[in-house]
Amino acid sequence: MNNSIALKSIITKEVQRFMRIWIQTLVPPAITISLYFVIFGSLIGSRIGDMNGFDYMSFIVPGLIMMSIITNSYANVAGSFFSAKWQRNVEEMLVAPVPNWVIVAGYVGGGMARGILVGLIVTLVSLFFVDIQLHNIWIVLATVILTSATFSLAGLINAIFAGTFDDISIIPTFVLTPLTYLGGVFYSISLLPEFWQDVSQVNPIVYMVNAFRYGFLGISDISLVTAFAVMSFFIVTLFTIAMVLIAKGTGLRS
């Protein structure tokens, strides 16, 4: 019972934190995605034509929604957990009679909440630009949950290692952004030469984007079984790493 209360408290605190500054956390993604739709969808898309049997605007919608989920899930946990480190709040949780998994799950739950909410907002915005199709709602929901959990965990690990506020922007800038743009958001990897198709399969975001696109359009460059296996592998691996780091007090205890 105590664990459930602690878990609920952490998640509630995290949700209230990003909802309190909703103009900074929820509005910018909607504006950014609208610009993507105007530039890539309307202006460039009309010149590109169809992509895998669908007009270009419809093709990129799942990728853009997934991109917003990834970046916001990651950013929420990275920023919030590092702030808790900086304010010494984490030390209070570590000495409290609360298991480490509750701390991890609480912050991850908050990151997932923001990622999913932003994804919903972006989906609603996309309705002004394109008629969204829905091939399999369960694939969509499963992909959203697994992806937001994966990048919430990644954001937590980034925050654990970060020594300054600048450190939490290094990974998103030099790793996350390139992987996202090379993850098949704006194109089908089947268009790439065989060598670059093989290279793309090292990028985990490729599997997430393609599974999500299958849920909407029924098309994917990647086997769904492989995609979900990769996402599950990353969740288990990142969760294990986060638990070990917190247990050791890496970057947490002064």
Side-chain angles (χ1 to χ4, degrees), residues 31-65:
I31 296 174
T32 301
I33 294 302
S34 297
L35 294 175
Y36 276 119
F37 280 129
V38 172
I39 297 171
F40 288 94
S42 301
L43 301 180
I44 298 177
S46 59
R47 299 174 183 272
I48 294 177
D50 291 349
M51 183 77 70
N52 286 2
F54 294 89
D55 65 88
Y56 189 66
M57 182 82 86
S58 297
F59 181 84
I60 66 172
V61 164
L64 291 175
I65 297 172

Side-chain angles (χ1 to χ4, degrees), residues 201-225:
Q201 294 183 25
V202 180
N203 183 354
I205 295 179
V206 166
Y207 299 89
M208 300 168 185
V209 169
N210 274 277
F212 199 57
R213 182 171 285 132
Y214 180 87
F216 278 96
L217 305 178
I219 58 172
S220 175
D221 298 322
I222 303 292
S223 163
L224 281 183
V225 174

Side-chain angles (χ1 to χ4, degrees), residues 148-183:
S148 58
T150 297
F151 284 94
S152 293
L153 285 165
L156 177 62
I157 294 172
N158 185 183
I160 290 174
F161 281 112
T164 66
F165 279 102
D166 290 335
D167 290 340
I168 64 175
S169 65
I170 293 176
I171 299 298
T173 301
F174 295 104
V175 178
L176 192 57
T177 299
L179 288 179
T180 302
Y181 281 97
L182 297 174

Side-chain angles (χ1 to χ4, degrees), residues 10-11 23 58 80 99 103 112-113 116 125-126 130-133 136 149 159 161 170 199 226-227 241 243:
I10 296 174
I11 294 176
I23 294 180
S58 297
S80 178
I103 298 174
M112 292 175 65
I116 292 171
V125 170
S126 68
V130 64
D131 293 329
I132 293 182
Q133 303 182 45
N136 190 317
F161 281 112
I170 293 176
V199 171
T226 303
I241 292 173
M243 288 291 291

Side-chain angles (χ1 to χ4, degrees), residues 25 55 57 68 74 82 104 124 135 137 142 151 178 182 198 221:
T25 56
D55 65 88
M57 182 82 86
S68 66
Y74 188 99
F82 182 81
V104 173
L124 294 175
H135 178 74
I137 182 62
F151 284 94
L182 297 174
D198 294 335
D221 298 322

